[in-house]
Structure formats: structure tokens, C-alpha cells
Amino acid sequence: MKNSQLYKGSLNTIIMKLLEEKGRMYGYEITQKVKEITNGELAITEGALYPALHKLEAEGFLEAEVEKVDNRLRKYYKLTENGQLETANRLSELEEFIRNMQTLVHPKWSY
């Protein structure tokens, strides 16, 4: 993606939407799913992902569970009840933002 700045404000919403759909995911899985969904156009770095996950957890929107997988500890994240409500709010706001941007980019001028 040439201008990832456009996505930075949506990172938390992207994470929350994926967790809403999948139930629970670990960090690397989130990065790979975003890459897959966007056909490689959007790559979330660990440097952006983990601070976002920790912030969402601190805000009470996510909770983490640690599991041993293949002799390693893996941290899974899932939405809390408040996180589910917040996801719905953020998705609604994002959809409204997208509609407004489409209107600005492709205005129907009336003279």
C-alpha cells in the first residue's frame, strides 16, 4: 500500500472486526489474515499491531488467553462484551466515513 497513513486510524477497527468474525486470534494470525484479505495490499507490521492490541486490552475491549502450542506459548486475543459493542459502533462510524469520502471523491454537482 503506497499510503499506509490512510489505514493507521482504522487499525483498531480492523483488528476488532477480525476478532468479531473469528472469535479469537493471535497476533501473527491477524497480520496474515489482513494480508490475505487485501491480496497483499495492506501489511500490518508487528510494530503497529502489538501496541494496538495492548491498547485495546488496556481499554477493556480485548482479553488475552495464553496457550501452549507446539511447545511455545501463544497469546490469543478475543473481544470482551464491551469490545463487541465498541466494534459495532466503530464499524458504523467507519461505514459513514467511507460514504462521506466517496461523496467527496465523486461528488454529484448540481448547478
Side-chain angles (χ1 to χ4, degrees), residues 6-47:
L6 294 172
Y7 289 99
K8 284 189 179 178
S10 303
L11 179 58
N12 291 346
T13 305
I14 292 167
I15 292 167
M16 294 170 83
K17 174 61 176 165
L18 287 174
L19 292 172
E20 177 190 58
E21 289 180 3
K22 297 290 183 183
R24 71 180 202 149
M25 299 175 83
Y26 57 96
Y28 181 75
E29 183 180 14
I30 292 170
T31 63
Q32 294 309 296
K33 192 64 176 173
V34 168
K35 195 180 293 185
E36 175 190 326
I37 290 169
T38 64
N39 294 317
E41 288 289 318
L42 179 59
I44 298 174
T45 64
E46 289 182 12

Side-chain angles (χ1 to χ4, degrees), residues 55-74:
K55 183 176 187 292
L56 289 168
E57 188 177 7
E59 291 173 336
F61 298 136
L62 301 183
E63 60 186 22
E65 302 170 334
V66 177
E67 255 182 49
K68 194 170 191 176
V69 178
D70 297 328
N71 253 355
R72 309 174 32 178
L73 293 179
R74 181 176 286 166

Side-chain angles (χ1 to χ4, degrees), residues 83-96:
Q84 291 170 359
L85 295 171
E86 184 66 15
T87 300
N89 290 337
R90 289 182 185 205
L91 288 172
S92 177
E93 287 177 3
L94 183 59
E95 288 170 351
E96 184 178 340

